[in-house]
Amino acid sequence: MMCIHGGAGSGKTLAVNTCLRALEPGEDVRKITFRARPTARAVRYELFTALDLAGEPPRHPSEFDRLLKTALAERPRTFLVDEAQWLNGEAFEYFRYLWDEPSTQLAIIFVGGAGCHTVLRREPMLSSRVFIWQQFTRLTPDEVLEVIPLFHPVWADADPEDITFADSHAAHGNFRAWAQLTAHTRTALGRTGRPRVDQELLRWAFSRLA
């Protein structure tokens, strides 16, 4: 198990998906997202759907558990549990229950906002099984100059001063903000026919950000 946590827009889910594709292109990855505090019953139904199991979900918990454990023993799988800060103790305990079953071949990546780390730490039976805790933070100014030219061709030949200008006035080291700014900058380049980014064009892109 591992936990990826950090502020909104820091690129957590994007990074996890990209790394999984690069490191384990053949891995069976199933993504689950929770928007409320689910019960163990709700987790069972989400897993049933995520695993594409045939038929109707079993009515009784013991039968449901046997079905899930049998499915998870067939081959290695990775569960990407997004928005994990919404999970409660009951839901976390159920994930631990499945993970602890000797026959299951299961890796779990919990991805969540800034509160995810705190929520997980409240569950010692689960948190003691988490092998890696990785916090995501805003990009520093130096990281922006290193990463953003590689992120999209729009920035590949941009003047470093213009990239710094964009970060200090709009993106502020937030990867999601950079993605939005990139989309608006591409639109501006297409409309104006300019060959590269400049500060006048960037000011127009800033005005389009929410």
Side-chain angles (χ1 to χ4, degrees):
M1 295 188 195
M2 68 184 301
C3 175
I4 308 292
H5 60 101
S10 56
K12 303 179 297 295
T13 303
L14 172 64
V16 170
N17 286 326
T18 300
C19 289
L20 284 173
R21 284 195 297 267
L23 297 174
E24 298 290 345
E27 179 71 8
D28 186 355
V29 179
R30 305 298 173 106
K31 182 177 179 180
I32 308 170
T33 303
F34 295 102
R35 299 296 181 184
R37 302 193 180 280
T39 61
R41 180 175 182 272
V43 173
R44 289 186 182 96
Y45 277 89
E46 286 291 336
L47 295 178
F48 183 90
T49 301
L51 291 169
D52 297 321
L53 298 179
E56 293 295 322
R59 294 184 179 181
H60 299 290
S62 59
E63 295 177 7
F64 215 148
D65 293 345
R66 283 195 297 271
L67 176 66
L68 291 174
K69 287 190 286 188
T70 298
L72 293 172
E74 292 175 350
R75 60 181 181 275
R77 286 187 173 92
T78 297
F79 281 149
L80 171 54
V81 183
D82 210 357
E83 303 295 346
Q85 72 273 9
W86 291 110
L87 297 178
N88 54 23
E90 183 181 3
F92 278 131
E93 174 61 22
Y94 192 73
F95 277 111
R96 185 193 67 80
Y97 165 72
L98 293 177
W99 189 85
D100 277 353
E101 170 61 38
S103 64
T104 58
Q105 305 180 68
L106 180 62
I108 303 175
I109 304 173
F110 294 108
V111 181
C116 180
H117 174 272
T118 302
V119 173
L120 267 171
R121 285 295 191 187
R122 293 191 192 125
E123 306 296 331
M125 292 290 288
L126 182 71
S127 64
S128 64
R129 289 162 169 76
V130 175
F131 181 60
I132 296 174
W133 300 84
Q134 181 64 56
Q135 182 180 14
F136 274 52
T137 60
R138 291 179 180 271
L139 296 170
T140 67
D142 287 341
E143 288 171 337
V144 166
L145 290 175
E146 179 182 357
V147 171
I148 296 305
L150 303 175
F151 169 56
H152 194 279
V154 162
W155 310 109
D157 63 348
D159 190 311
E161 290 187 4
D162 291 335
I163 294 176
T164 298
F165 176 79
D167 190 57
S168 62
H169 285 77
H172 307 295
N174 184 284
F175 207 85
R176 185 175 298 159
W178 269 108
Q180 294 171 340
L181 180 61
T182 300
H184 291 304
T185 300
R186 287 186 64 201
T187 298
L189 287 170
R191 290 179 178 178
T192 63
R194 296 184 184 185
R196 58 184 296 186
V197 171
D198 58 46
Q199 293 190 13
E200 181 182 4
L201 185 143
L202 286 172
R203 288 190 181 90
W204 179 89
F206 297 164
S207 71
R208 313 306 294 175
L209 295 173

